[in-house]
Amino acid sequence: MADSQLFCVAEERSGHCAVVDGNFLYVWGGYVSIEDNEVYLPNDEIWTYDIDSGLWTMHLMEGELPTSMSGSCGACINGKLYVFGGYDDKGYSNRLYFVNLRARDGTYVWEKITSFEGQPPTPRDKLSCWVYEDRLIYFGGYGCRRHNELQDCFDVHDASWEEQIFWGWHNDVHVFDTKTQNWLQPEIKGGVPPQPRAAHTCAVLGNKGYIFGGRVLQTRMNDLHYLNLDTWTWSGRIPINGENPKHRSWHTLTAIADDTLFLFGGLSADNTPLSDGWIHNVITNCWKQLTHLPKTKPRLWHTACLGKENEVMVFGGSKDDLLSLDTGHCNDLLIFQTQPYSLLRSCLDCIGKNAIILESQISLLPPKLLQQVLKKITFWTAANHREEQRAQKEEKEKKCQWISSD
């Protein structure tokens, strides 16, 4: 198989869904810009990334396909990828689909959930989801409501008085129970809820669902809240000891330990793509900025998933301000190591990086360990190949810019 096929990568995209299940990262949906046009990625394709070997594979999907969308909310429960909401050429969606990622025959078949009780959220995109006790708990987002659906949980942005449709931001909470197939809107028992927002981010620690930042109207925020997912009480804005991250939207928040959150990227209040990373300790309520992250890799409207050894895997997104220059969509995978790797992992990486030097000795390894080593060799071969390809592409782009400036 040619290198171009063996070391293929999922297409550039933003506003997609990504989850980790077992040894694989799964990527679906999103959009990319082609000649100033927003083009949604194919709805019948799902990309898998083997965390051990570093190889991408595209799989065709079947069944009741969701429409091609961006801004959908993806989450994984018991090996099933659930996708809710999003935006397509016809507007906002409030449909819910799922696909079994662990099918024995290796096929990926979408199913639309139509037999349910209760009322789903109104159509929206750029919302967030907490996964807790086999339930999908959705918060916020930007979307539309009819006049008779207007409530305090909705901040109106625009309206079509003829059709009696209103667009704006939400701060309501909706729950889908994957066991009973029921929708419900829990009664919030207390606390001050966050103001309506979209393009925020969320994470779960224990029984608390955290949210950070996001946008409403022209305001981007840097506030941190949590919702107790047992008692349905809001914390109110959590007071922070020390420095705060910048106000932002289109960022990610990932739980990396029982008491720790990792914040990365986004778009700042002055429309600057961000590449900063922060660690938040929920016990001390302190943010700490990571100083070793590369400043040349800003990302917004990307995804972030936790790997097998607590590394944060950031895929896709844009390196440009999507609101003014929608051309910087990415398809590289950024890996942020949040704690020391195990001794086994460190040894496997060392062998994989130095496979040529150790070639005569690798075959002497026990069979089980040999398989792990071979995957790591593939991983580092693929990583080096992609880095060379990326460097060549950047060099070519620089030459084109130099020629055009002449």
Side-chain angles (χ1 to χ4, degrees):
M1 184 180 296
D3 281 352
S4 59
Q5 294 175 301
L6 180 62
F7 301 138
C8 63
V9 183
E11 294 105 330
E12 301 166 345
R13 66 188 72 202
S14 299
H16 51 284
C17 299
V19 298
V20 165
D21 186 59
N23 290 328
F24 293 92
L25 169 72
Y26 296 85
V27 175
W28 179 85
Y31 84 102
V32 68
S33 297
I34 299 177
E35 296 181 353
D36 295 329
N37 295 312
E38 293 185 0
V39 178
Y40 296 102
L41 275 296
N43 58 347
D44 63 347
E45 293 181 2
I46 190 167
W47 284 83
T48 61
Y49 174 80
D50 187 319
I51 297 173
D52 291 329
S53 70
L55 296 183
W56 285 96
T57 307
M58 190 275 285
H59 305 268
L60 291 175
M61 309 184 79
E62 305 171 2
E64 301 171 282
L65 299 171
T67 55
S68 297
M69 294 182 290
S70 67
S72 303
C73 192
C76 188
I77 295 182
N78 299 324
K80 293 179 179 178
L81 166 61
Y82 290 85
V83 170
F84 174 80
Y87 182 85
D88 61 20
D89 293 327
K90 296 181 180 179
Y92 297 93
S93 166
N94 67 344
R95 298 180 294 273
L96 179 62
Y97 298 82
F98 78 91
V99 56
N100 184 0
L101 303 176
R102 304 178 188 172
R104 292 184 178 180
D105 59 0
T107 60
Y108 296 97
V109 182
W110 281 109
E111 292 186 42
K112 182 181 178 181
I113 297 177
T114 54
S115 299
F116 56 82
E117 295 185 8
Q119 187 68 30
T122 52
R124 62 190 70 185
D125 73 347
K126 297 188 285 290
L127 66 160
S128 63
C129 176
W130 299 297
V131 174
Y132 182 67
E133 294 184 344
D134 293 328
R135 294 177 297 172
L136 301 163
I137 304 172
Y138 296 100
F139 171 80
Y142 183 90
C144 57
R145 286 174 176 252
R146 296 195 176 277
H147 187 269
N148 61 359
E149 296 174 324
L150 295 182
Q151 299 173 358
D152 291 340
C153 65
F154 188 67
D155 196 330
V156 175
H157 173 223
D158 200 358
S160 169
W161 293 103
E162 284 187 17
E163 300 176 15
Q164 292 289 288
I165 295 178
F166 298 79
W167 291 269
W169 291 266
H170 300 79
N171 71 344
D172 49 352
V173 177
H174 293 263
V175 179
F176 182 77
D177 190 315
T178 60
K179 288 185 176 179
T180 63
Q181 302 280 289
N182 288 346
W183 281 105
L184 65 94
Q185 188 169 9
E187 178 186 353
I188 301 301
K189 301 296 178 61
V192 180
Q195 69 186 105
R197 65 191 65 202
H200 52 286
T201 189
C202 71
V204 173
L205 289 177
N207 66 343
K208 296 175 180 177
Y210 287 83
I211 70 160
F212 178 85
R215 176 186 169 187
V216 61
L217 296 172
Q218 298 304 313
T219 301
R220 293 188 177 89
M221 296 164 277
N222 71 340
D223 51 341
L224 182 68
H225 304 250
Y226 72 75
L227 177 65
N228 187 305
L229 304 178
D230 289 325
T231 64
W232 303 114
T233 55
W234 280 108
S235 64
R237 180 168 184 158
I238 298 172
I240 300 300
N241 298 315
E243 188 180 5
N244 270 299
K246 290 181 178 179
H247 300 67
R248 67 191 68 204
S249 60
W250 280 329
H251 49 288
T252 49
L253 189 70
T254 310
I256 58 174
D258 292 341
D259 57 5
T260 311
L261 300 167
F262 174 72
L263 171 72
F264 175 71
L267 188 68
S268 72
D270 60 359
N271 295 330
T272 300
L274 298 169
S275 59
D276 56 341
W278 296 73
I279 297 290
H280 180 74
N281 185 300
V282 300
I283 297 175
T284 63
N285 282 333
C286 291
W287 286 102
K288 179 182 178 182
Q289 185 171 7
L290 301 178
T291 58
H292 62 278
L293 301 188
K295 296 182 179 179
T296 58
K297 298 279 188 179
R299 290 291 182 274
L300 54 109
W301 217 2
H302 53 281
T303 53
C305 300
L306 196 65
K308 297 191 298 180
E309 295 199 46
N310 279 35
E311 68 271 40
V312 178
M313 309 172 67
V314 169
F315 176 74
S318 176
K319 60 184 179 183
D320 294 329
D321 172 11
L322 292 173
L323 303 177
S324 61
L325 184 64
D326 195 7
T327 57
H329 302 278
C330 304
N331 67 345
D332 49 345
L333 187 65
L334 308 180
I335 307 292
F336 298 106
Q337 184 182 345
T338 62
Q339 66 181 33
Y341 285 142
S342 66
L343 180 59
L344 174 61
R345 168 69 182 270
S346 298
C347 291
L348 290 173
D349 281 334
C350 183
I351 297 171
K353 292 177 181 178
N354 298 282
I356 296 176
I357 299 173
L358 302 171
E359 185 177 6
S360 62
Q361 301 170 16
I362 290 175
S363 60
L364 303 176
L365 292 170
K368 186 175 180 181
L369 187 57
L370 178 60
Q371 290 302 313
Q372 292 177 284
V373 166
L374 292 177
K375 281 196 170 186
K376 274 301 170 189
I377 293 173
T378 302
F379 178 95
W380 286 108
T381 303
N384 292 335
H385 173 79
R386 290 171 190 143
E387 190 57 39
E388 290 173 6
Q389 294 289 99
R390 192 170 295 115
Q392 291 175 9
K393 181 180 178 182
E394 290 177 357
E395 185 64 27
K396 186 176 180 181
E397 289 174 352
K398 286 180 182 178
K399 286 183 179 179
C400 290
Q401 290 175 356
W402 180 77
I403 292 171
S404 62
S405 64
D406 272 5

